[in-house]
Amino acid sequence: MSTVQGARARARIEVTAAIKDEARRQLAADGAAKLSLRAVARELGMVSSALYRYFPSRDDLLTALIIDAYDAVGEAAERALAEQDAGAPPAVRWVAVCRAVRAWALGHSHEYALIYGSPVPGYSAPEATVGPASRVGLVLLSIARDAHRGKGIAPPRPAAPLRAEAERMAADLAPDLPPAAAVALVTAWAQLFGLISFEAFGQFHRVVEDREPFFVHAAEQLARSVGLVLPA
């Protein structure tokens, strides 16, 4: 790459970052539904036609912000797992990951709302968001896999009407785990973000006051529901 090309690439990276930073500021102030490319361009002192060279539409900009948010919370989960001692029990690693996801969500409330809050009217997330959105779930799945390779896991067997769906879920998501584990993992994944959303969006107001120990207790219950054994 020539010096000129390198300078242009760096300039494009810088402008792209500035656009996304301003868009995040507008998300915090007005919400995703009111995000406007023209407003972003105006605040950055750009003509809107110049901004369209970076993001052809509002939906393209939203997609970039959504992918960034999913990647950020995914990185938080992956980092929490990597920081655990290799010999730590799977249930301990599970709780550490859950706590990291919660901490990210509470520290980045507007980005969390973008990916786990109300759908943005008129926006449909493209396939490109699926991989980033899967990162937290894959971290939790990896913990269950480690437990299964060791002493095993013993989630409750699903009721008869769910067994065919459990087998399908296991085949699609975790063919190396028992079908009951696939059902338990998807349930725990959904419940984790339900717990975090209740706290992030204010539903625990005047209901749960000491929220950190409450969350840890709930995360431990989720670990048990997946079949992970907590140390005595």
Side-chain angles (χ1 to χ4, degrees), residues 10 18 23-25 29-30 33 53 56 79 81 91 95-96 100-101 111 122 124 143 163 194-198 203:
R10 287 193 298 273
R24 291 188 188 98
R25 191 196 66 76
D30 303 317
R53 292 200 292 270
R79 185 166 54 251
L81 180 60
V95 173
V101 172
E111 292 166 79
S124 179
I143 296 170
R163 284 175 192 161
L195 279 163
I196 293 171
S197 293
F198 259 53
Q203 278 89 350

Side-chain angles (χ1 to χ4, degrees), residues 182-195:
V183 172
L185 280 163
V186 172
T187 302
W189 170 63
Q191 289 175 333
L192 169 63
F193 283 103
L195 279 163

